[in-house]
Amino acid sequence: MPRVAYVNGRYESLADAAVNVEDRGYQFADGIYEVCLLVDGRFWDEDGHFDRMERSLSELSMSMPMSRPALKAVIAALLRKNRLKNALVYVQVTRGVAARNHAFPPDGTVPSIVITAKPYNLAANEALASRGVGVLTMSDQRWARVDIKTVSLLPNCLAKQAAREAGAFEAWLVRDGKVTEGASSNAWIVNGKGELITHPLGHEILGGITRQTAIRCAEEMQMKVVERAFTVAEAQRAHEAFITAATLLVMPVVSIDGRPVGSGKPGPVAQRLREAYLRRCSEIAGERPRAIA
Amino acid sequence: MPRVAYVNGRYESLADAAVNVEDRGYQFADGIYEVCLLVDGRFWDEDGHFDRMERSLSELSMSMPMSRPALKAVIAALLRKNRLKNALVYVQVTRGVAARNHAFPPDGTVPSIVITAKPYNLAANEALASRGVGVLTMSDQRWARVDIKTVSLLPNCLAKQAAREAGAFEAWLVRDGKVTEGASSNAWIVNGKGELITHPLGHEILGGITRQTAIRCAEEMQMKVVERAFTVAEAQRAHEAFITAATLLVMPVVSIDGRPVGSGKPGPVAQRLREAYLRRCSEIAGERPRAIA
């Protein structure tokens, strides 16, 4: 079955789904995005993703292209058309199509909205988590406002590619000697006292929705979470490490720059947190109506 | 007459010219661009723009999507279809269309190429230059590799917009206390000794082709060019200031943050350099065949 995408009011086959070459997303990376997970037809961390989407738009002086209920209805329709219940949904909103000019286009320029959906394989994610992943550290070359979830992702792509070429799964980005986050995930370590350490919110990291929920899960389990930056050396001495992202959930990190973290296997804290995260998301989602039946 | 664009091998009306929503240019800003000026059917600074295009692609591990002669033939055809002889030509090359994934797509993924052209009004540029423009200084929030001419331009757009909202024409970006460059131009000042000062090449600025040619013109006129960074305070004490860009040529700056530079009018050094630049470009272009007759 060909995949279907939503583009500016129309459902089209993904192969035909297109935007104008003067879309500001294409010429200027002038737009934002979200990636949300739906399991069994229900949004995980629904409010978090929609809240962040509104914030990202607001930081770029843009507004939501449609109401939240309308957006949810479109996503539900898109999942039905794609016959998906476990899905990663990608939503991108840009400042619209306008004659090329760095300054914003005239008031009234209509934002562009694109939504795609693809199957999400929880079993494959479980398998990856049972092995854990390796990360490669490198210089954080991104701009000063990575707290906004924009499509200005070239540095993230270059970092991810460098990691993959070195045989690592993810890049850990280092600014002023401290790990900020991964190329597409938040970075965590667990020290000898069992404390979970992750970079504080601010302009230097993207405030992950999975990160936020994972903090709640940890605190509910009486684990201590310390939001502070850590060095690569500290990470390499850590008992455990892991990353969080909507697509990865809680994913154990078993090596940093080719050196094993702790035992070199997924650690017990990361595993407990992963289970708690899965439980919490499915419970909260279960209390709400399905996005699609 | 509707404008015509070139998109991946086809000439289409600009309104219909589109790229797939999974083009990496749209989702990741994973692409580069050039803006070239043609006057009377002839490229200005032709080699400089094509050389830089190759360099930008190379820095992103991409190669030219077609040979230089083929690209020039496409641009010539595009200008004929648009009935343009004085034109700004925009060329964008991205890593192509692929399932969304930060890491590079599989080998063999075909790069996307988009070319648009619009009329260039030299008389309007002359009129603007006779008055000069104002700039507003602000923090340089861009990434660490702005020497690559990528479409990751969101910070530039935000800076330009902030300048325009404050009534200025251009933003001057400041990093570690020093002016790096404008949001879409290189920044220059002229001190009391008549020295032309502009930020040295490096990862912190885009190596402007107009900047490079302007340096040659200045040196041919026995003006001393000093490539070093300068502070905002130094710029405000300068006798003159100006910016260079392919679209602006040499453009006098008459105010910085609302305070007049020198006399508050276009200065003689900037005016002489502008004339020399115009003369040099038209002479060199004149020695070559027209791109279009």
Side-chain angles (χ1 to χ4, degrees):
Chain A
M1 198 186 73
R3 282 173 61 197
V4 176
Y6 174 88
V7 184
N8 297 325
R10 294 169 62 177
Y11 297 90
E12 300 181 281
S13 84
L14 182 59
D16 297 328
V19 292
N20 190 270
V21 297
E22 289 199 321
D23 191 297
R24 290 181 62 93
Y26 199 59
Q27 295 190 324
F28 292 117
D30 189 6
I32 63 93
Y33 74 106
E34 278 294 327
V35 177
C36 319
L37 179 59
L38 283 93
V39 177
D40 194 24
R42 291 184 164 103
F43 280 101
W44 278 20
D45 278 328
E46 173 179 332
D47 294 340
H49 286 287
F50 285 115
D51 288 352
R52 184 172 62 185
M53 184 175 168
E54 284 188 11
R55 177 184 181 274
S56 296
L57 288 165
S58 166
E59 290 292 319
L60 300 187
S61 307
M62 295 170 65
S63 45
M64 286 282 278
M66 59 178 79
S67 71
R68 211 179 272 211
L71 184 52
K72 284 167 62 177
V74 169
I75 292 171
L78 188 66
L79 292 197
R80 277 193 298 272
K81 287 173 194 292
N82 283 288
R83 298 188 198 164
L84 289 173
K85 288 195 174 177
N86 293 338
L88 280 176
V89 171
Y90 174 81
V91 182
Q92 177 170 351
V93 180
T94 76
R95 208 180 300 275
V97 177
R100 187 176 184 279
N101 195 335
H102 285 71
F104 294 173
D107 288 346
T109 301
V110 181
S112 300
I113 177 163
V114 172
I115 310 177
T116 61
K118 65 180 175 186
Y120 184 71
N121 188 336
L122 192 53
N125 182 274
E126 287 286 349
L128 187 61
S130 72
R131 299 189 301 272
V133 299
V135 300
L136 186 74
T137 64
M138 63 192 75
S139 169
D140 190 343
Q141 302 207 305
R142 300 172 304 161
W143 74 310
R145 289 301 307 276
V146 298
D147 58 306
I148 313 172
K149 198 167 173 76
T150 78
V151 293
S152 196
L153 290 172
L154 177 58
N156 306 61
C157 290
L158 296 177
K160 183 80 83 175
Q161 178 65 17
R164 294 290 166 94
E165 286 178 7
F169 180 81
E170 174 64 305
W172 271 15
L173 307 176
V174 181
R175 192 185 287 267
D176 300 330
K178 303 288 177 68
V179 175
T180 52
E181 61 183 331
S184 62
S185 62
N186 287 118
W188 304 62
I189 58 172
V190 182
N191 69 10
K193 291 189 257 177
E195 293 168 343
L196 284 65
I197 303 165
T198 192
H199 197 287
L201 294 179
H203 290 177
E204 306 85 4
I205 69 162
L206 183 74
I209 304 307
T210 306
R211 171 189 181 279
Q212 176 183 304
T213 302
I215 289 175
R216 278 192 209 148
C217 290
E219 290 175 344
E220 282 171 6
M221 293 190 293
Q222 318 301 324
M223 292 172 172
K224 185 169 182 194
V225 178
V226 183
E227 294 182 71
R228 68 163 173 81
F230 55 84
T231 64
V232 174
E234 189 178 2
Q236 286 180 322
R237 288 192 310 266
H239 284 220
E240 296 185 37
F242 60 93
I243 52 181
T244 52
T247 53
L248 296 172
L249 316 173
V250 177
M251 180 61 62
V253 168
V254 294
S255 75
I256 299 173
D257 294 340
R259 293 160 66 170
V261 178
S263 67
K265 293 186 178 157
V269 172
Q271 285 174 312
R272 280 182 63 207
L273 187 63
R274 179 180 168 87
E275 286 157 21
Y277 178 81
L278 285 161
R279 201 164 51 237
R280 184 190 171 93
C281 284
S282 56
E283 277 173 13
I284 290 175
E287 290 164 7
R288 299 192 176 197
R290 282 190 169 81
I292 58 158
Chain B
M1 197 187 73
R3 282 173 61 197
V4 176
Y6 173 88
V7 184
N8 297 324
R10 293 169 62 177
Y11 297 90
E12 301 181 280
S13 84
L14 182 59
D16 297 328
V19 291
N20 190 270
V21 297
E22 290 198 321
D23 191 296
R24 289 181 62 94
Y26 200 59
Q27 296 190 322
F28 292 116
D30 189 6
I32 63 91
Y33 74 106
E34 278 294 326
V35 178
C36 320
L37 178 59
L38 283 93
V39 177
D40 194 24
R42 291 184 164 105
F43 280 100
W44 278 20
D45 277 329
E46 173 179 331
D47 295 338
H49 286 286
F50 285 114
D51 288 350
R52 184 171 62 184
M53 184 175 169
E54 284 188 10
R55 177 184 180 274
S56 296
L57 288 166
S58 167
E59 290 293 318
L60 300 187
S61 308
M62 294 169 67
S63 45
M64 286 282 277
M66 58 178 79
S67 71
R68 212 179 273 211
L71 184 52
K72 284 167 62 177
V74 170
I75 292 171
L78 188 66
L79 292 196
R80 276 193 297 271
K81 287 173 194 292
N82 284 286
R83 296 189 199 162
L84 289 174
K85 288 196 176 178
N86 293 339
L88 280 176
V89 171
Y90 174 82
V91 182
Q92 177 171 350
V93 180
T94 76
R95 208 179 301 275
V97 177
R100 187 178 185 279
N101 194 336
H102 285 71
F104 294 173
D107 287 345
T109 301
V110 180
S112 300
I113 177 163
V114 172
I115 310 176
T116 61
K118 64 180 177 187
Y120 184 71
N121 189 336
L122 192 54
N125 182 273
E126 288 286 348
L128 187 62
S130 72
R131 299 189 302 273
V133 300
V135 301
L136 185 73
T137 64
M138 63 191 75
S139 168
D140 188 344
Q141 303 208 306
R142 300 173 303 161
W143 74 311
R145 289 300 308 275
V146 298
D147 58 307
I148 313 172
K149 198 168 174 75
T150 79
V151 293
S152 197
L153 291 171
L154 177 59
N156 306 61
C157 291
L158 297 175
K160 183 80 82 176
Q161 178 64 16
R164 294 291 165 92
E165 286 178 7
F169 180 80
E170 174 63 307
W172 271 15
L173 307 175
V174 181
R175 191 184 287 265
D176 300 331
K178 304 287 176 68
V179 175
T180 51
E181 60 183 331
S184 61
S185 62
N186 287 117
W188 303 63
I189 58 173
V190 182
N191 69 10
K193 291 188 258 176
E195 293 167 341
L196 285 65
I197 303 165
T198 191
H199 197 288
L201 295 180
H203 290 177
E204 306 85 5
I205 69 162
L206 183 74
I209 304 306
T210 306
R211 171 189 180 281
Q212 176 183 303
T213 302
I215 289 175
R216 277 191 211 149
C217 291
E219 290 175 344
E220 282 171 6
M221 292 190 294
Q222 318 301 325
M223 293 173 172
K224 184 169 181 192
V225 177
V226 183
E227 293 183 72
R228 68 162 173 84
F230 55 85
T231 65
V232 175
E234 189 179 1
Q236 284 178 325
R237 288 192 309 267
H239 284 221
E240 295 185 37
F242 59 93
I243 51 181
T244 52
T247 53
L248 296 171
L249 315 175
V250 176
M251 181 60 62
V253 168
V254 294
S255 76
I256 298 173
D257 295 340
R259 295 161 65 171
V261 178
S263 67
K265 293 186 179 157
V269 173
Q271 286 174 311
R272 280 182 61 207
L273 188 62
R274 179 181 169 86
E275 285 156 23
Y277 178 80
L278 286 161
R279 200 164 51 237
R280 184 189 173 92
C281 283
S282 56
E283 277 172 13
I284 290 177
E287 292 164 6
R288 298 191 178 198
R290 282 189 169 82
I292 57 161

